[in-house]
Amino acid sequence: MNKPLTKNIRPDRAFATLADYESTGGYQGLSKAIAELQPNEVQQRVKDAGLRGRGGAGFGTGLKWSLVPVDDTGQARYLIANADEMEPGTFKDRLLLEQDPHQLIEGMIIAAYAIQANRAYIFLRGEYHVAKLRLEQALLEAKSKGYLGEHVLDSEFSLDIVLHTGAGRYICGEETALLNALEGKRATPRAKPPFPLVSGLWGKPTVVNNVETLCNVPHILNYGVEWYQGLARGVDKGTKLFGASGRVKHPGLWELPMGTSIREIIEQHAGGMRDGYTLRGFLPGGASTDFLLPEHLDVVMDFEAVAKAGSRMGTGVIIVLDDKTCPVHMVLNLEQFFAQESCGWCTPCRDGLPWTVTLLKDIIAGKGRIEDLDTLAGLTRMLGPGNTFCALAPGAAEPLQSALKYFRADFERYIAMERA
């Protein structure tokens, strides 16, 4: 039980049915929560366990739940599983959705019970067709056994879960844009405050959690706080799905203790670099994180440790940069994605990201000037935190600002070649 998230995932990638899930302790956490604990006690268990959000921000999950206003008016509350996984280089939630969907469903039921929500939504990336089919089947199975619907497990608590597929926009991964999309509006971020915990879906208190976050919840309730804390090696608790892509020998995804070093992930689990290639740098947590260098390989994958090194753990799925891949081209590819996916709601993102793309294309085409590098650096500051409605533009700025810091010579080489 040192790998609770992936214990039902088989090498043949077969779908874990309800019977498969129950045979390994599935829905026991829910049974304990409903039979033995009040909603606030469930919140406290998750808070004591130290579970932090696995979508990138790392906010305390139990703390987030506890911030939902408590009242006796019977007003609606909503829970949403954010399954709109579109971050380039990130594919962790897909594994859980396709191969063990009941784990997510059980986690959602427990979370809904903890905040007393009677309706929940799975906001699924539209391109995840296999996940959609398997979630639909799992929802039917759960309802047939009394885990969903009226009077869950013969209790006073009832819950309906609705599966909603998105239309393919990266911005819907931002929780308030997701809320607007669910309401049938244009998917643009909302100004905060008010925060969704107070005024979210249709103006009601709403909790939005990442898929992997919710998948941790059943195990905390089933096996206990001390067990969960004991899984980790570092400050942050539990296990995490870490991965690696790029020119490594074995690209993939592995469930490992929080606090596992980046060196272990790349060299041991991913098998190191392919023959003939050398590690030059990496994005530690998806496309919207700052580059780190080989000198950072011994940094452990904890939220604070990666932040101290100058980046973010993000989704925990590493994108490797090798010595034969041009970092300028790599950054251009990322900035083109972010510029395309901007919702256009605020000026720095709408106009700033296409400008970065234009400048990068000019530099690669031999039309760049040395002053363009200062312009790009200035743009990363204008796109930074506090200047936009959401984190899309600040995230887009991270690989660019760190590439200018660590790989400036590559940018200058393009400029110098044209002048020569």
Side-chain angles (χ1 to χ4, degrees), residues 186-229:
R186 178 181 171 188
T188 55
R190 299 176 181 179
K192 294 180 283 190
F195 292 92
L197 295 170
V198 176
S199 179
L201 192 63
W202 294 298
K204 304 299 182 182
T206 304
V207 169
V208 182
N209 285 136
N210 171 259
V211 167
E212 186 186 352
T213 306
L214 290 164
C215 287
N216 278 271
V217 172
H219 309 296
I220 294 171
L221 272 293
N222 196 14
Y223 299 106
V225 169
E226 291 184 2
W227 165 84
Y228 186 77
Q229 292 178 337

Side-chain angles (χ1 to χ4, degrees), residues 116-179:
Q116 288 295 282
N118 296 120
R119 193 170 183 85
Y121 294 86
I122 302 171
F123 194 103
L124 180 67
R125 176 179 175 179
E127 294 85 354
Y128 278 7
H129 303 297
V130 174
K132 178 178 181 291
L133 293 173
R134 292 180 174 179
L135 281 166
E136 287 173 339
Q137 180 178 337
L139 288 168
L140 289 173
E141 289 178 331
K143 194 164 187 177
S144 70
K145 287 292 294 286
Y147 297 127
L148 273 176
E150 295 293 322
H151 305 294
V152 172
L153 296 178
D154 297 320
S155 70
E156 294 300 313
F157 174 66
S158 300
L159 178 67
D160 184 29
I161 296 180
V162 177
L163 176 60
H164 175 91
T165 52
R169 290 308 305 273
Y170 175 70
I171 191 63
C172 289
E174 197 280 332
E175 63 178 11
T176 61
L178 181 155
L179 296 176

Side-chain angles (χ1 to χ4, degrees), residues 1 33 58 74-75 82 86 107 118 126 136-137 179 185 197 212 226 276 291 324 329 340:
M1 281 306 300
Q75 73 165 324
N82 188 343
M86 289 185 65
N118 296 120
E136 287 173 339
Q137 180 178 337
L179 296 176
K185 301 173 184 175
L197 295 170
E212 186 186 352
E226 291 184 2
F291 280 100
K324 292 181 175 60
H329 278 87
Q340 172 183 296

Side-chain angles (χ1 to χ4, degrees), residues 86-401:
M86 289 185 65
E87 176 84 355
T90 296
F91 43 90
K92 64 185 183 65
D93 293 341
R94 179 180 178 180
L95 179 76
L96 301 171
L97 291 164
E98 290 185 355
Q99 296 185 243
D100 199 11
H102 279 286
Q103 187 173 214
L104 170 64
I105 293 169
E106 184 182 7
M108 290 183 69
I109 302 169
I110 295 171
Y113 174 71
I115 66 170
Q116 288 295 282
N118 296 120
R119 193 170 183 85
Y121 294 86
I122 302 171
F123 194 103
L124 180 67
R125 176 179 175 179
E127 294 85 354
Y128 278 7
H129 303 297
V130 174
K132 178 178 181 291
L133 293 173
R134 292 180 174 179
L135 281 166
E136 287 173 339
Q137 180 178 337
L139 288 168
L140 289 173
E141 289 178 331
K143 194 164 187 177
S144 70
K145 287 292 294 286
Y147 297 127
L148 273 176
E150 295 293 322
H151 305 294
V152 172
L153 296 178
D154 297 320
S155 70
E156 294 300 313
F157 174 66
S158 300
L159 178 67
D160 184 29
I161 296 180
V162 177
L163 176 60
H164 175 91
T165 52
R169 290 308 305 273
Y170 175 70
I171 191 63
C172 289
E174 197 280 332
E175 63 178 11
T176 61
L178 181 155
L179 296 176
N180 276 341
L182 268 179
E183 292 180 359
K185 301 173 184 175
R186 178 181 171 188
T188 55
R190 299 176 181 179
K192 294 180 283 190
F195 292 92
L197 295 170
V198 176
S199 179
L201 192 63
W202 294 298
K204 304 299 182 182
T206 304
V207 169
V208 182
N209 285 136
N210 171 259
V211 167
E212 186 186 352
T213 306
L214 290 164
C215 287
N216 278 271
V217 172
H219 309 296
I220 294 171
L221 272 293
N222 196 14
Y223 299 106
V225 169
E226 291 184 2
W227 165 84
Y228 186 77
Q229 292 178 337
L231 295 174
R233 296 178 185 172
V235 176
D236 294 323
K237 306 306 178 185
T239 60
K240 173 88 180 68
L241 292 181
F242 294 115
S245 62
R247 287 192 170 113
V248 289
K249 290 180 180 176
H250 308 297
L253 197 65
W254 311 275
E255 182 179 1
L256 301 170
M258 289 291 282
T260 298
S261 73
I262 296 170
R263 183 183 299 278
E264 179 181 331
I265 295 169
I266 293 177
E267 295 184 358
Q268 180 177 328
H269 300 284
M273 301 300 293
R274 294 183 193 174
D275 294 341
Y277 295 95
T278 302
L279 177 67
R280 192 172 179 197
F282 54 89
L283 300 170
S288 59
T289 57
D290 287 272
F291 280 100
L292 294 178
L293 301 178
E295 66 196 55
H296 299 113
L297 280 172
D298 292 315
V299 172
V300 299
M301 286 294 247
D302 277 332
F303 291 100
E304 283 76 16
V306 180
K308 188 176 180 180
S311 187
R312 293 184 302 110
M313 191 177 80
T315 60
V317 186
I318 300 166
I319 303 174
V320 169
L321 170 67
D322 62 87
D323 61 330
K324 292 181 175 60
T325 297
C326 172
V328 185
H329 278 87
M330 181 175 176
V331 169
L332 171 60
N333 184 44
L334 296 176
E335 298 307 317
Q336 286 177 313
F337 170 83
F338 290 121
Q340 172 183 296
E341 293 299 329
S342 172
C343 72
W345 195 239
C346 52
T347 303
C349 188
R350 180 187 65 242
D351 297 340
L353 289 176
W355 192 7
T356 66
V357 171
T358 298
L359 289 171
L360 288 168
K361 284 183 175 180
D362 284 348
I363 290 171
I364 290 172
K367 302 176 185 177
R369 304 171 302 159
I370 198 68
E371 299 84 40
D372 291 339
L373 302 185
D374 294 330
T375 303
L376 285 170
L379 279 168
T380 64
R381 292 189 291 270
M382 287 188 284
L383 293 168
N387 296 327
T388 58
F389 272 97
C390 78
L392 189 152
E398 291 188 22
L400 175 58
Q401 69 190 12

